[in-house]
Amino acid sequence: MRTVGGRTDRVVVVGAGLSGLSAALQLAGRGRTVTVLERETFAGGRMGRLDINGYRLDTGPTVLTMPDIIEDAFAAVGDSMTGRLELDRVDPAYRASFADGSSLHVHTDPTTMAGEIERFAGSDAAEGYLRLRTWLTRLYQAEFNGFIASNFDSPLSLLTPQLARLAAMGGFRRWDRMVRKYITDERLRRIFTFQALYAGVPPHKALAAYAVIAYMDTVAGVYFPRGGMRAVPDAMAASATDAGVEFRYGSTVSVLERSADGRVTAVRTDAGDRIPTDAVVLTTELPTTYRLLGRTPRRLLPLRPAPSAVVAHVGCGAVDAGVAHHNILFGGAWEQTFRDIIEEGRVMSDPSLLVTRPTAGDPSLAPPGRDLLYILAPAPNNAVGQVDWSRASDAYVEGMLATVRRRMPAVGDDLELLHVVDPDGWARQDMAAGTPFALAHTFGQTGPFRPANTVRGADNVVLAGSSTVPGVGVPTALLSGRLAADRITGTVTRSTPTAAPTTARSELS
């Protein structure tokens, strides 16, 4: 594995998102002096926040899986997640409802889930689920250390015994086809393939290797931090500060100073600050990264961004416990959804929505007697989209709310629209093609074919974040920070994370 040569005593991390925080903790734990520069006044990056009318909004991801990877970041500085972050296991992980009126609770306990599936689709489906669960677990175990949590110097780095095992398990077949081997019920298959939306590829085209995302939420489990998702970056930043990391908020990086040999020797901000450094970790959005570097790497094929989303934050009157923490409202035209937003660049003709109710886990996130909803509708990104969001956004959001009222009557009509972000809104946050999901996980943008975390011509600059390895999502963002640290210091031996953290407390419904 290539590492940064020369001195690496002082490191500047640009960006206090999850990848930057992870990198800072890992580097501090390995004896480096670390300064983190963040343009916002708080940590979090894509895991953002907004406070409106007594509601505390999480503007980024709402599904938290694999907390052992978070624990690894704390452990890097000799700290523990236990005293920093209070996590509750979300059970059921999801409530899925379908256009035919049927519904299913997704549990991560195998016996409970098998019983739910038997009620929903019969005993054969329950047996198929248990076999699928075993396959997903083996898939994750085969992939984690050899692929997900590894740096690659070239495609030849893939040629390992793990590659043969992954191929033998069907990892390079199609995701949907592999799930069909175990489950024939079309509705039930969606539970184990809808995660392809996060990867930005339809299930019938996505590599089965990406079914590890389904392992993370349907097997390893879903969690929620008290205080909302923002509690994760807050806890990580506090731990890093106690470990000696310096944070400079409200600092936008404007220039990377270089020596004659191309190494970055200092980082300058638009406020005029100059921070000398031996190495830099850039976690900025890819367009900003390339602008700071002064170059865009050449590729045989252009980069393909993932689909985007419209997110509406809504306050409502207190609802009953029938409204789960995470609710998936599947439309009838499931396969058409992917054609609409990925191939044809239009909004879904038959919407499928994710409705998250964070107040199920922490009622303090809303005013007394109120609940908070996060409603996400997948949408085309601005590279392929045919939608003029300046004209269409208001009407589209009204349609989203009408769909929620119709499919979730318990929510009622007392809806208070608090905040909306559409693809144009993501673009204003410097996200390429107006998508918060970065680059799609096509074969040509996977593993060593994804934009690398090393940069030719800038030997002491390393990248981290969703647009580089290993990819999009909370666990992978954290891992990208660790991989960046490895590029600077060399690899530290670790074990494969397991499912449940010892710090998880009560279960939520």
Side-chain angles (χ1 to χ4, degrees), residues 283-343:
T283 73
T284 44
E285 303 295 338
L286 213 52
T288 303
T289 297
Y290 291 154
R291 176 178 57 78
L292 289 171
L293 292 171
R295 65 188 302 273
T296 300
R298 288 179 295 178
R299 291 175 59 90
L300 293 176
L301 297 173
L303 293 173
R304 176 177 154 186
S308 186
V310 178
V311 175
H313 300 268
V314 178
C316 65
V319 301
D320 59 45
V323 179
H325 192 116
H326 296 294
N327 305 269
I328 306 175
L329 313 182
F330 286 108
W334 178 236
E335 292 185 2
Q336 182 62 40
T337 289
F338 292 92
R339 288 194 291 271
D340 287 340
I341 65 176
I342 295 176
E343 298 173 12

Side-chain angles (χ1 to χ4, degrees), residues 265-291:
T265 56
V267 176
R268 285 196 278 139
T269 72
D270 59 3
D273 295 329
R274 181 182 183 276
I275 302 95
T277 189
D278 299 317
V280 177
V281 178
L282 287 178
T283 73
T284 44
E285 303 295 338
L286 213 52
T288 303
T289 297
Y290 291 154
R291 176 178 57 78

Side-chain angles (χ1 to χ4, degrees), residues 15 62 78 131 134 148 167-168 182 209 257 398 401 426:
T62 63
R131 295 196 304 274
T134 298
I148 300 172
Y182 304 98
E257 285 188 11
E398 280 301 316
L401 300 186
W426 301 120

Side-chain angles (χ1 to χ4, degrees), residues 34 45 66 82 114 152 180-181 210 269 319 340 359 426 436 438 460 475 498:
V34 182
M66 304 306 296
T82 305
F152 298 98
R180 282 175 188 266
K181 290 181 60 177
Y210 282 105
T269 72
V319 301
D340 287 340
T359 38
W426 301 120
N460 64 335
T498 52

Side-chain angles (χ1 to χ4, degrees), residues 1-14 20 22-24 26-28 30-35 151 263 277-283 453-454 458-464 480-492 494:
M1 181 189 74
R2 289 197 304 268
T3 57
V4 171
R7 290 184 56 180
T8 60
D9 298 335
R10 300 171 300 176
V11 183
V12 170
V13 177
V14 181
S22 173
Q26 295 288 345
L27 290 165
R30 303 177 199 182
R32 271 50 177 188
T33 299
V34 182
T35 300
N151 277 309
R263 287 177 69 90
T277 189
D278 299 317
V280 177
V281 178
L282 287 178
T283 73
N453 58 2
T454 56
D459 293 342
N460 64 335
V461 176
V462 183
L463 309 187
S480 77
R482 196 174 83 184
L483 294 176
D486 288 348
R487 288 290 191 185
I488 293 172
T489 70
T491 304
V492 175
R494 310 170 185 87

Side-chain angles (χ1 to χ4, degrees), residues 141-164:
Q141 291 169 342
E143 284 188 48
F144 187 84
N145 285 326
F147 298 95
I148 300 172
S150 294
N151 277 309
F152 298 98
D153 290 334
S154 77
L156 294 177
S157 304
L158 284 172
L159 301 179
T160 64
Q162 290 101 315
L163 181 72

